[in-house]
Amino acid sequence: MKITLAVVLPVTLLIQYLVSSFSSSSTSSPAKSSSTGSKEREITMAEVAQHTTAESLWMVINGDVVDVTAYMKAHPGGPDVLAANGGSDATKAFKEVPHSPDATKEVLKWKIGVLAKAKKISPDELAKRNTANDLWLAIDGKVVDVTKFAKEHPGGEGLIIEWAGKDGTKAFKDAHHSPDAVKMLQDYFVGDLAADGTQGVDLILKNTPIISWTPELLRTTMPGLKMAILWLRMFNHGMITCFAPEYLWMCLILI
């Protein structure tokens, strides 16, 4: 059987890739199993925003959701500081104060979960929510559902309806809203605004099927498809794997 370099080289590269993949997965699997033994609770920002009282005070610090209800009275800066940031992402406020390493560790004692990743909402989806009965708008890249709040808006329902289904960031900032008004937006948060009408890279990757690399698949797949998959993988990695002569004999298995 005559084997040309044009056939041997790509197949050899594929074998080398598989060997390195299997080796890395076998060495890293123990660490992965130990670190993912218990999955942390994921909590949405909308749920955090519901806990703003002295009886139940939650906040987000560095992506961790903490329940500081029992800590309020013991807080060195007083309970009012915590109350002012209750139900919100207090990361910026926490960093602005030079907390000691012990204080940072103290925060973890009250951790109850991690902040869930926000849903990605496309401009097209946002644009559909443009009626008084279904009213969404975007402010600073955050999409809020203000359907129920529109009638209670101090400036009148009309001002909100004017920006229904649109990005109202400039109008919101031009009105010079109070810190409490800005904080109130978190109560109506539904997701992050995706760019250019897409659903976000995370969702695209999540819905992309993953090929399971097995010897059986390689034996039964057409040679042309093998080549396409190989070169696509190398393109994605941005590199060309070096030719390894020691794997040359393994090519006979696939040819």
Side-chain angles (χ1 to χ4, degrees):
M1 175 169 51
K2 183 177 180 181
I3 304 176
T4 64
L5 183 60
V7 175
V8 172
L9 179 56
V11 177
T12 302
L13 294 174
L14 179 57
I15 293 296
Q16 185 178 358
Y17 171 77
L18 292 174
V19 171
S20 61
S21 297
F22 291 146
S23 298
S24 60
S25 63
S26 63
T27 56
S28 60
S29 56
K32 181 178 180 181
S33 60
S34 61
S35 61
T36 58
S38 57
K39 186 178 180 180
E40 291 184 295
R41 174 188 175 189
E42 292 188 353
I43 303 173
T44 64
M45 198 64 227
E47 184 177 356
V48 174
Q50 295 176 5
H51 297 266
T52 59
T53 67
E55 290 72 31
S56 181
L57 191 69
W58 294 9
M59 62 181 64
V60 178
I61 298 178
N62 293 327
D64 294 326
V65 179
V66 292
D67 180 354
V68 294
T69 308
Y71 180 64
M72 290 185 66
K73 294 181 179 180
H75 184 242
D80 292 342
V81 176
L82 296 180
N85 291 282
S88 67
D89 190 331
T91 302
K92 182 179 180 182
F94 183 81
K95 291 183 177 180
E96 287 177 348
V97 178
H99 288 91
S100 66
D102 289 338
T104 304
K105 292 179 180 179
E106 183 74 20
V107 170
L108 297 178
K109 293 181 181 180
W110 310 104
K111 180 178 178 180
I112 58 175
V114 295
L115 186 64
K117 291 184 178 180
K119 176 185 177 183
K120 296 292 185 179
I121 299 174
S122 71
D124 292 338
E125 182 180 354
L126 173 63
K128 296 176 182 177
R129 315 283 185 150
N130 60 359
T131 67
N133 296 323
D134 190 12
L135 203 166
W136 290 12
L137 55 89
I139 298 177
D140 282 331
K142 306 295 182 181
V143 178
V144 291
D145 180 354
V146 291
T147 307
K148 296 180 179 180
F149 173 72
K151 293 182 180 180
E152 303 174 3
H153 183 238
E157 183 180 10
L159 290 176
I160 293 186
I161 293 179
E162 180 181 352
W163 293 98
K166 304 174 184 177
D167 189 333
T169 302
K170 187 176 185 302
F172 183 82
K173 291 185 175 180
D174 288 346
H176 303 290
H177 287 86
S178 67
D180 288 340
V182 175
K183 183 179 178 181
M184 187 184 297
L185 291 175
Q186 300 183 51
D187 296 341
Y188 307 101
F189 176 75
V190 292
D192 290 332
L193 183 64
D196 301 325
T198 66
Q199 293 297 321
V201 176
D202 291 342
L203 290 183
I204 294 175
L205 294 177
K206 180 179 179 180
N207 296 321
T208 301
I210 300 175
I211 297 176
S212 179
W213 294 91
T214 63
E216 184 62 27
L217 173 63
L218 297 176
R219 291 192 185 95
T220 58
T221 307
M222 293 184 298
L225 183 57
K226 294 179 188 177
M227 295 283 291
I229 294 175
L230 170 64
W231 289 110
L232 179 61
R233 293 296 299 182
M234 289 192 296
F235 175 79
N236 287 339
H237 282 284
M239 63 181 183
I240 301 297
T241 308
C242 296
F243 178 51
E246 58 267 31
Y247 295 124
L248 183 60
W249 65 273
M250 300 180 69
C251 296
L252 296 177
I253 299 176
L254 301 177
I255 299 178

